[in-house]
């Protein structure tokens, strides 16, 4: 299994696609892809004021508030109330979305993926559990509130670990690493879409 540690320190703050806030990219595929050509993208986004979210054609997203009091979102005319920390909320990224902050700025853990290229799931976990990485899958673990460990690696708050299977060489699969976290940690599982 390939394991890369992605430290939070030094992540650059980049303006949103629509200029309404800033985001700090954790990981994306292809690496270095911009906001118009990623297959998937994981980031932390600062929302400091009411206003529209950027739209992303063909993209689904999962948003998990990790700091702040919350947001009242209108997604394609439907209300989505995000007022609990570390509870993922799913919605289409290509529908017009407007945000009203409930009580000041928030920080969101944001996962976006092109639905025709990738499928994704986001779980917020705590405790001790194995993290398998099947063929064709990438898993990203992120410590959301307090330090966590994955195998022998320690993750400070907002540090991430990216796990991908070894290239298929006829070798047996390696044993899953164990994630240990007293506070909430995000596990993002990304799978290549099956072409029909």
């Amino acid at each position: 299994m390939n394991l890369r540690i992605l430290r939070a320190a030094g992540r650059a703050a980049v303006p949103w696609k629509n200029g309404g806030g800033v985001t700090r990219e954790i990981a994306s595929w292809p690496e270095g892809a911009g906001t118009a050509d990623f297959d998937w993208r994981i980031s932390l986004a600062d929302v400091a004021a009411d206003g529209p979210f950027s739209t992303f054609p063909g993209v689904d997203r999962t948003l998990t508030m990790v700091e702040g009091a919350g947001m009242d979102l209108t997604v394609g005319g439907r209300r989505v109330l995000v007022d609990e920390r570390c509870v993922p909320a799913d919605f289409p990224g290509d529908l017009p979305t407007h945000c009203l902050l409930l009580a000041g700025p928030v920080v969101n853990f944001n996962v976006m993926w092109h639905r025709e290229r990738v499928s994704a799931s986001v779980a917020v976990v705590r405790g001790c559990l194995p993290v398998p990485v099947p063929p064709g899958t990438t898993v990203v673990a992120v410590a959301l509130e307090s330090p966590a460990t994955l195998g022998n690696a320690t993750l400070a708050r907002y540090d991430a670990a990216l796990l991908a299977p070894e290239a298929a060489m006829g070798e047996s699969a390696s044993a899953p690493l164990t994630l240990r976290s007293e506070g909430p940690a995000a596990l993002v599982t990304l799978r290549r879409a099956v072409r029909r």
Side-chain angles (χ1 to χ4, degrees), residues 38-59:
F38 61 83
D39 285 355
W40 57 261
R41 185 173 187 269
I42 301 172
S43 64
L44 287 162
D46 297 355
V47 185
D50 299 343
F53 281 6
S54 301
T55 56
F56 294 88
V59 168

Side-chain angles (χ1 to χ4, degrees), residues 55-146:
T55 56
F56 294 88
V59 168
D60 285 326
R61 66 192 297 176
T62 298
L63 179 152
T64 306
M65 183 182 65
V66 292
E67 295 180 36
M71 302 168 292
D72 191 349
L73 302 179
T74 303
V75 181
R78 180 177 64 93
R79 186 180 187 209
V80 178
L81 184 62
V82 179
D83 61 352
E84 291 185 66
R85 290 187 188 184
C86 298
V87 177
D90 303 319
F91 59 96
D94 46 12
L95 293 180
T97 300
H98 192 273
C99 169
L100 292 175
L101 295 171
L102 298 182
V106 301
V107 176
N108 296 319
F109 176 70
N110 191 38
V111 180
M112 298 188 292
W113 64 96
H114 272 275
R115 64 179 71 97
E116 293 185 358
R117 303 177 203 163
V118 177
S119 65
S121 62
V122 179
V124 175
V125 301
R126 67 176 74 212
C128 176
L129 71 161
V131 182
V133 185
T137 300
T138 298
V139 176
V140 180
V142 183
L144 295 180
E145 285 190 2
S146 56

